[in-house]
Amino acid sequence: WVHREAYVPRYNAQPGAALPCVRASDPTRGEPPDERRVESMTWGLVPSFTGPGEKPDHFRMFNARGETLREKPAFGRLLRRRRCVALIDGFYEWRLEGAGRAGAKQPYYLYLRPSRDENESASCERTHDAREVSETAVIADAETNVSRRWDDATESVSPIRVAALYDVWRRKRAPEKDADADARDALFDTDTDTETMTTCVLVTVDASERIAWLHDRMPAVLRSDEEMKAWLAGGAEFDGDGDSSDRRPETLLRPYAAEDLAWHPVTSDVNAAGKLEGPRCCAPARRAAERDAGSVAGLFAKAAAFEEKKKNESSPEKRLDRSPPFIDAASSPSSAFRKRPRTTPPRPANQRSVADMFKKK
C-alpha cells in the first residue's frame, strides 16, 4: 500500500481527501510489472501538465463523464496507462424535495448490500413513492443510538469499486513546514526542490432506472473482479480500431442496476461537506420534508383557527351578545354593602329637602 499512512477513513469525504485506489504497478517507479498496488490518492485530478507553481483546485475535476473521456485532453491521455479503481463504502446523492421556498436538497446515502443477503437487501429498497421500509438500523429519536447501530450494520456493506483515472503532478516543495507537514508529506514523493502528488478523478455514467428519480448521474461501478482486472489492464488491446473497439475500457462503463444497490435518506447536515464527520453522516434519518410537515401543518392550523375566531367575534350576532353576565343581587358584593347598618343620622322631620323646595303647592 503506497502512502498508506496518508489514508484516513472518512464518512463525509470531499475533493481533496485521500481515497484508497487500486492501480497496476508502474515500472517507472521501480515496481515489478504485472502487479497491483493500492495507493492513497487525492480525490480531484491535477493534470501532470499543471505548472509546478500553480495552486491546485481539487473541485475542478473530481468527476469525469464516461461518455466523453476520449474527447477531453485531460482524461483521454490517461485511458491507456493511468486507470485505477477507487474503493468506497457508499456515496451521497441529493434530490430537491418540497415546493417553493420550503424546498430543500435532501441527501440520500447509496451503498451495496452483500448479494447473499437478498432478503435484507430487499428490505432496504426505497421506491420513488418514498414508501417507508424497515432498515437494519432502527430509526430512533436519539441520533446517537441510530449512528451507533448503523455503524455496526456497515460491517456487512460491500465495498463499491468505482472506475477512475489518475495522474502524477510535480510541484514546488513548500519552503516552510507547517503543522500538517507530516500528513502532507505522506502523500508526496519528495526531493530537494519538488514533490510529486498522485490525484484521481472518478468516472460517472447515466443513472440506472432504479435511481433515476433521485439523480441523473451515478459512479461507474465495476461489477466483478474480472471487470476490475479488465479496467486496470493497459496496452493496445483497448486502443485499437475496428473489431477491437468493443473491447475498449468504455464498454465497462454502464449504469449499475443490480438489486443489491440500496439507499436511505440521511441528515441534511452532510450538505456542508467536511463539517459533519462520523457514523451519523450515513445513518438512516427522517426526510426533512417529513420532519417539517408536522410543524408546517400546525402553523397553518393555528392560523386558520385564529381567522375563524376573529370572524366570529366580528359577526353582528356576537356583538349583540356582549351583555355582562347576570349577577345575583343576593350574593353580589354590592348587595352585601347595601345590607350594612346605616351610620348617618336620619334627617329631622322639619328639615326640607331640595326636592321639597321645588314642589308645587
Side-chain angles (χ1 to χ4, degrees):
W1 190 334
V2 182
H3 304 318
R4 180 171 185 172
E5 63 279 5
Y7 172 67
V8 178
R10 301 287 301 276
Y11 288 88
N12 192 12
Q14 62 178 335
L19 300 180
C21 299
V22 180
R23 61 169 175 82
S25 58
D26 187 356
T28 62
R29 297 186 180 184
E31 300 171 351
D34 302 327
E35 290 187 0
R36 293 183 184 178
R37 291 286 187 274
V38 177
E39 182 173 356
S40 300
M41 301 182 184
T42 302
W43 182 22
L45 188 73
V46 180
S48 58
F49 53 77
T50 304
E54 296 184 29
K55 183 178 181 180
D57 183 4
H58 298 292
F59 284 86
R60 184 180 179 184
M61 290 184 286
F62 60 90
N63 286 343
R65 297 177 68 93
E67 301 88 346
T68 59
L69 288 179
R70 291 185 180 274
E71 301 173 10
K72 306 294 183 180
F75 307 140
R77 61 189 180 85
L78 303 177
L79 275 173
R80 183 177 176 86
R81 295 291 184 183
R82 292 292 174 88
R83 294 193 292 271
C84 64
V85 177
L87 305 177
I88 61 176
D89 287 327
F91 59 96
Y92 300 96
E93 293 291 1
W94 283 260
R95 178 173 181 259
L96 183 61
E97 297 184 352
R101 295 182 179 180
K105 287 187 175 181
Q106 172 63 52
Y108 287 80
Y109 181 68
L110 296 90
Y111 55 99
L112 297 183
R113 286 289 187 184
S115 57
R116 64 178 180 274
D117 253 344
E118 296 180 357
N119 293 334
E120 187 177 12
S121 174
S123 67
C124 292
E125 293 180 0
R126 182 179 295 273
T127 65
H128 178 41
D129 295 332
R131 294 192 296 266
E132 293 296 332
V133 296
S134 58
E135 300 286 346
T136 302
V138 179
I139 303 178
D141 292 334
E143 293 184 350
T144 54
N145 292 337
V146 176
S147 300
R148 187 179 303 110
R149 295 180 184 182
W150 173 250
D151 195 29
D152 296 338
T154 54
E155 295 180 359
S156 61
V157 173
S158 299
I160 301 177
R161 295 165 288 202
V162 180
L165 303 172
Y166 76 96
D167 205 353
V168 180
W169 172 52
R170 183 170 293 276
R171 73 175 189 179
K172 291 183 179 179
R173 183 173 174 82
E176 296 181 0
K177 302 195 69 168
D178 50 29
D180 297 330
D182 294 337
R184 187 191 70 245
D185 290 347
L187 287 170
F188 300 126
D189 293 323
T190 62
D191 53 31
T192 56
D193 299 325
T194 61
E195 54 194 5
T196 58
M197 182 180 189
T198 305
T199 61
C200 66
V201 56
L202 305 185
V203 180
T204 65
V205 295
D206 289 333
S208 63
E209 293 183 359
R210 295 188 64 222
I211 64 170
W213 62 273
L214 176 57
H215 201 272
D216 60 343
R217 305 290 295 179
M218 68 181 302
V221 179
L222 301 176
R223 293 155 173 75
S224 62
D225 290 337
E226 290 73 18
E227 289 192 0
M228 181 176 174
K229 181 179 179 180
W231 174 255
L232 294 176
E237 69 268 20
F238 287 109
D239 299 317
D241 297 325
D243 296 338
S244 62
S245 61
D246 60 343
R247 300 186 62 192
R248 289 184 177 185
E250 293 94 319
T251 60
L252 301 172
L253 308 178
R254 57 192 188 279
Y256 188 87
E259 293 298 321
D260 58 347
L261 178 63
W263 57 87
H264 56 246
V266 296
T267 174
S268 57
D269 292 338
V270 303
N271 294 349
K275 294 185 178 181
L276 180 64
E277 188 59 47
R280 180 168 168 259
C281 292
C282 53
R286 292 181 62 189
R287 294 166 50 243
E290 296 174 352
R291 186 180 64 250
D292 299 337
S295 59
V296 174
L299 179 63
F300 280 100
K302 290 181 180 179
F306 177 78
E307 292 295 332
E308 185 68 20
K309 180 180 179 181
K310 186 176 179 181
K311 180 180 178 181
N312 293 337
E313 291 180 352
S314 61
S315 62
E317 295 79 3
K318 194 67 177 180
R319 288 198 300 268
L320 293 175
D321 194 30
R322 286 185 176 180
S323 57
F326 174 77
I327 301 177
D328 185 9
S331 59
S332 64
S334 59
S335 63
F337 177 81
R338 289 194 299 269
K339 291 180 180 180
R340 286 184 299 177
R342 186 172 183 178
T343 56
T344 57
R347 186 181 61 179
N350 60 351
Q351 184 177 353
R352 298 177 61 186
S353 66
V354 176
D356 296 336
M357 295 175 61
F358 290 94
K359 287 182 178 180
K360 294 183 179 181
K361 295 182 180 180

